[in-house]
Amino acid sequence: MVDHPSSDAEAAHAEVELSTVRLQEVAEAAGVSTITVSRCINNPARVSEKTREHVLKIANRMGYIPNRLASSLASARSMVIGVVVPTIANPIHGMVLQGAADILEPAGYQVLLGNSHFSKQSEFELVRTFLGHRVDGILLTGRDHLEECLDLLARSRTPMVEMFDYNPEPSDMAVGSSNFDAGASLGQYLIARGRRQFAYVGHTGLDDSRMIARLQGLIKVCEAAGLAPPRHYEISSDPGTGTGGEVVGTILRDVPEIDAVVFAGHQVAVGAIRYSVDVGIAVPQRLAIAGFGDSPIAKWITPSLTTVRFPVRENGIEAGKLMLWRLQGKQCKQRSIRLGFEILGRDSA
Amino acid sequence: MVDHPSSDAEAAHAEVELSTVRLQEVAEAAGVSTITVSRCINNPARVSEKTREHVLKIANRMGYIPNRLASSLASARSMVIGVVVPTIANPIHGMVLQGAADILEPAGYQVLLGNSHFSKQSEFELVRTFLGHRVDGILLTGRDHLEECLDLLARSRTPMVEMFDYNPEPSDMAVGSSNFDAGASLGQYLIARGRRQFAYVGHTGLDDSRMIARLQGLIKVCEAAGLAPPRHYEISSDPGTGTGGEVVGTILRDVPEIDAVVFAGHQVAVGAIRYSVDVGIAVPQRLAIAGFGDSPIAKWITPSLTTVRFPVRENGIEAGKLMLWRLQGKQCKQRSIRLGFEILGRDSA
DNA sequence: CTGTTAGCGCATTCAC
DNA sequence: GTGAATGCGCTAACAG
């Protein structure tokens, strides 16, 4: 082994070294300028086929991995999209995220993840962090955000999509089903089947406007039908764990006239069915139980859960598409996409 | 309004402008050097309390958001951790991810997400992408990876944790339960309860070593007990959808002697229970059904599913902790953490 | 405790 | 089709 300063020949063998090969080293090894190497990777059309092949072969052999930090800094495009979900432990949001990632990743974008834990304040801080990373776009869950957060977003001119709730006048873009309408439809369904006295069970401490919108829809149809407004209960269990169904016991003890309980989610509704069966509350004869959101368990529990199905994955997909359109300058399409929902009338109500 | 070139006074009012305030502008407005502002943010202890307060107040008022691309480039630390999961639509991996994020985010790290879709090749490409982003660490799912992938990881000297499978000799770090042992234990449990002829149902086209390890554990105990090895079936349904349970019909038609079916997952196992009940296969009298992984549905279906519970969220948490330790230079702890599992003997087997 | 100098690795803008 | 100069915004290392 001769001990000489690094030469082109050596550089070409650097594949066994650290993957800290720089653009410049590739350029030297290939006998071209740095910008040519850059173009071979980002703008192949603007380089002759011959040089391109030559350069790419060398880059490959050297194990060159472009430094996207430097690239993003210089070009002001990070190819990263920040996504804020309340939690990924809940499969619903996992699927939204999956939908968005399935659109964005093939387009060359990476997803930077943030969990708001259902807190608008945390959401705001995540947005700040994302802007620090100079993300090219941001996906938020729901339509209810801190004003400062929307302000910041607007001033930074970062494209933003609100997912999972219909919003006809989004601050930027939005996609989702109307949770108000979903609540109203479910209420109508129950009323049509003879229910007269409702309870609604939400979750304490969660900044989740969707759950509130569902209740408001329910309230509206109660009013319209001349019924008493639903009694509002809140439980502190984490939605998604499926615990907290025992609340139906409390409800019936409080207000025995109640003949229908609507849960803000579906997991807890299933838990409530299970609890009711265990303690001998006849579902649906004595008590109707319904929820929002669907899953295999909702279908397979006995009695099966009457619930509202939302096109979950589509939310992420459409949000991703909206974002891509904007990023590619095609601002032609609508800014707000309304998705539907479906009342799944099963055995529990 | 006077039209004059930007002055310090104006800069201090820039909060209504774009959030493209630079460190230098803050420095000028505060009458200090850029490095001092930098230190106020990243190393407050090395600045006098007086200047710090002064500078931070101004930075705040100007709506300054540090550019982490530039920061990362200059400091060679991105404060980003790349995480590869097969899919986030599956709550199991969602919870692992959640556990990891819950540890990493409070420590100031952001999670860059990648979906491998159960493909080792995709995993490799994601790792490349992550390295391009100069992530400070990488979390992978499972212990089976492309050799080139591990090579690249090692050469880049990027800390890495393999999650969700026990690996006594990880290429870097690892955390998880032994899926082999889990398969063996479940097998023993079933054998002890009189089962003699097994079938195992996996999923086609998935690079998932965990599912294979479970089968191998099962094979071992069958051998040890002098039983025929389990018949191996594969279904093409996406695990997590819960579809594909009809396979038990095929199995019993093929090999009527089979008295126990073990599913690689739990969703499909529940689907199989549901199917069996529907078509009149007596569970567990005629056929035992068991799976891996737990969820409310597994407990609430009738008959309830005998399955193996893994400490899912702990996987993510411990992986996050291992990563943090490494990142903070505390290499004292073990490189591999073994988590346990629990056979949940319920009604289906 | 604070400032100066010198990059980090790449892409943009203009030349040729 | 290719290259040279310049800067993206920040921090490391050293100086004072």
Side-chain angles (χ1 to χ4, degrees):
Chain A
M1 257 318 211
V2 187
D3 181 34
H4 57 213
S6 84
S7 67
D8 290 8
E10 265 209 27
H13 285 93
E15 76 244 50
V16 289
E17 300 295 316
L18 294 159
S19 77
T20 352
V21 184
R22 284 166 308 139
L23 196 56
Q24 188 180 327
E25 303 178 65
V26 178
E28 281 166 10
V32 297
S33 73
T34 59
I35 186 64
T36 299
V37 180
S38 170
R39 282 200 268 252
C40 287
I41 293 166
N42 304 315
N43 225 331
R46 299 185 54 172
V47 171
S48 80
E49 196 179 320
K50 201 174 129 194
T51 31
R52 192 195 328 156
E53 265 182 34
H54 173 63
V55 168
L56 288 180
K57 203 170 69 183
I58 293 198
N60 225 18
R61 200 168 49 196
M62 296 177 72
Y64 172 62
I65 299 181
N67 185 330
R68 306 190 68 151
L69 296 174
S71 164
S72 302
L73 183 60
S75 68
R77 296 184 66 226
S78 63
M79 299 304 283
V80 172
I81 304 292
V83 182
V84 182
V85 292
T87 161
I88 25 184
N90 185 330
I92 298 297
H93 296 109
M95 291 181 77
V96 173
L97 190 56
Q98 182 77 54
D102 286 347
I103 295 297
L104 296 172
E105 287 186 5
Y109 287 88
Q110 228 50 47
V111 167
L112 197 61
L113 184 65
N115 292 109
S116 72
H117 301 280
F118 290 100
S119 151
K120 285 190 275 192
Q121 182 61 34
S122 299
E123 180 185 65
F124 176 44
E125 279 151 24
L126 281 167
V127 166
R128 279 185 64 90
T129 305
F130 286 169
L131 291 180
H133 283 277
R134 295 304 187 265
V135 295
D136 289 340
I138 288 187
L139 267 39
L140 297 183
T141 302
R143 55 182 286 185
D144 191 26
H145 316 284
L146 250 37
E147 222 174 291
E148 318 156 64
C149 183
L150 293 176
D151 254 33
L152 184 59
L153 242 13
R155 290 208 324 266
S156 71
R157 314 183 113 283
T158 307
M160 186 266 275
V161 181
E162 297 166 287
M163 305 184 291
F164 222 65
D165 201 355
Y166 176 61
N167 189 347
E169 292 174 12
S171 41
D172 190 355
M173 298 174 282
V175 52
S177 312
S178 166
N179 282 277
F180 182 91
D181 288 358
S185 287
L186 183 57
Q188 278 169 338
Y189 178 89
L190 294 171
I191 291 170
R193 297 176 69 92
R195 304 298 163 170
R196 289 296 172 264
Q197 190 89 312
F198 291 88
Y200 180 85
V201 181
H203 294 265
T204 54
L206 268 48
D207 288 340
D208 193 327
S209 60
R210 292 170 295 127
M211 293 187 177
I212 295 170
R214 292 167 189 172
L215 171 59
Q216 289 170 334
L218 187 58
I219 291 175
K220 194 198 75 174
V221 294
C222 283
E223 267 181 18
L227 302 178
R231 304 281 295 218
H232 190 182
Y233 287 81
E234 296 213 320
I235 55 179
S236 59
S237 77
D238 189 5
T241 62
T243 58
E246 317 80 49
V247 71
V248 295
T250 315
I251 293 175
L252 291 187
R253 236 169 287 128
D254 274 13
V255 192
E257 299 78 36
I258 282 177
D259 57 8
V261 180
V262 175
F263 287 86
H266 63 281
Q267 307 259 39
V268 186
V270 170
I273 289 180
R274 188 67 214 197
Y275 173 84
S276 302
V277 170
D278 286 350
V279 303
I281 301 170
V283 177
Q285 296 79 7
R286 165 69 182 88
L287 187 70
I289 291 180
F292 294 88
D294 193 28
S295 63
I297 182 174
K299 190 170 57 186
W300 288 334
I301 188 89
T302 309
S304 56
L305 177 71
T306 289
T307 192
V308 183
R309 194 188 71 79
F310 295 105
V312 180
R313 193 153 173 281
E314 281 71 15
N315 264 279
I317 291 177
E318 295 303 325
K321 284 185 183 166
L322 272 180
M323 182 55 72
L324 282 187
W325 275 324
R326 166 69 58 83
L327 258 19
Q328 290 161 1
K330 303 174 197 156
Q331 300 196 28
C332 46
K333 290 272 177 175
Q334 53 196 340
R335 300 192 320 151
S336 180
I337 293 182
R338 181 177 201 147
L339 298 177
F341 58 84
E342 188 185 352
I343 305 287
L344 300 175
R346 295 199 278 233
D347 300 335
S348 72
Chain B
M1 261 306 219
V2 187
D3 180 33
H4 58 212
S6 83
S7 66
D8 290 7
E10 263 209 30
H13 285 92
E15 77 246 48
V16 289
E17 299 295 318
L18 295 160
S19 77
T20 351
V21 185
R22 285 166 306 137
L23 195 57
Q24 187 179 330
E25 303 178 68
V26 177
E28 280 166 11
V32 296
S33 73
T34 58
I35 187 69
T36 299
V37 179
S38 170
R39 283 201 268 253
C40 287
I41 291 165
N42 303 314
N43 224 330
R46 299 185 52 171
V47 172
S48 81
E49 197 177 320
K50 201 175 133 194
T51 28
R52 192 194 330 157
E53 265 183 32
H54 173 64
V55 167
L56 287 181
K57 203 170 71 185
I58 293 197
N60 224 17
R61 198 168 49 194
M62 297 176 73
Y64 172 61
I65 298 181
N67 185 329
R68 306 191 67 152
L69 296 174
S71 165
S72 300
L73 182 60
S75 68
R77 297 183 66 224
S78 63
M79 301 303 284
V80 171
I81 304 293
V83 182
V84 181
V85 293
T87 162
I88 26 186
N90 185 330
I92 299 295
H93 295 109
M95 292 181 77
V96 172
L97 190 56
Q98 182 76 55
D102 285 347
I103 295 296
L104 295 172
E105 287 187 4
Y109 287 89
Q110 227 52 45
V111 167
L112 197 60
L113 184 64
N115 291 110
S116 71
H117 301 281
F118 291 100
S119 151
K120 285 190 276 190
Q121 182 62 34
S122 298
E123 181 186 65
F124 175 45
E125 278 151 25
L126 281 167
V127 166
R128 279 184 64 90
T129 305
F130 286 169
L131 292 180
H133 284 277
R134 296 302 187 263
V135 295
D136 289 339
I138 288 188
L139 267 39
L140 297 182
T141 301
R143 55 182 286 184
D144 191 25
H145 317 285
L146 249 39
E147 222 174 290
E148 318 156 64
C149 182
L150 293 176
D151 253 34
L152 185 59
L153 242 13
R155 291 209 323 266
S156 71
R157 314 183 115 281
T158 307
M160 185 267 274
V161 181
E162 297 166 287
M163 306 184 292
F164 223 65
D165 202 354
Y166 176 62
N167 190 347
E169 292 174 13
S171 42
D172 190 355
M173 298 175 283
V175 52
S177 312
S178 166
N179 282 277
F180 182 90
D181 289 358
S185 287
L186 182 58
Q188 278 168 338
Y189 177 89
L190 295 171
I191 292 171
R193 298 175 69 94
R195 304 297 163 172
R196 289 295 173 265
Q197 191 90 309
F198 290 88
Y200 179 86
V201 180
H203 294 265
T204 54
L206 269 49
D207 288 342
D208 194 327
S209 60
R210 293 170 294 126
M211 293 185 177
I212 296 168
R214 292 167 189 171
L215 171 58
Q216 289 169 334
L218 186 59
I219 291 175
K220 195 198 75 174
V221 294
C222 282
E223 268 182 18
L227 302 177
R231 304 280 297 216
H232 190 182
Y233 286 81
E234 298 212 319
I235 56 180
S236 60
S237 77
D238 188 6
T241 61
T243 58
E246 317 80 49
V247 70
V248 295
T250 315
I251 293 175
L252 292 187
R253 236 169 286 127
D254 273 14
V255 192
E257 299 78 36
I258 281 179
D259 56 8
V261 180
V262 175
F263 286 86
H266 64 281
Q267 307 259 39
V268 186
V270 170
I273 289 180
R274 188 68 213 195
Y275 174 83
S276 301
V277 169
D278 286 350
V279 303
I281 301 171
V283 177
Q285 295 78 7
R286 166 69 183 87
L287 186 70
I289 291 181
F292 294 88
D294 194 27
S295 63
I297 182 175
K299 191 171 57 187
W300 288 335
I301 187 89
T302 307
S304 56
L305 177 70
T306 289
T307 192
V308 182
R309 194 188 71 78
F310 295 106
V312 180
R313 196 154 171 281
E314 282 69 17
N315 265 279
I317 291 177
E318 295 303 324
K321 284 185 184 167
L322 272 180
M323 182 55 71
L324 283 187
W325 274 324
R326 166 68 60 82
L327 257 20
Q328 291 161 2
K330 303 173 197 156
Q331 299 196 29
C332 45
K333 290 271 178 178
Q334 52 195 341
R335 299 192 321 153
S336 178
I337 293 182
R338 181 177 201 149
L339 297 176
F341 57 82
E342 189 185 352
I343 304 288
L344 300 175
R346 295 199 279 231
D347 299 336
S348 72

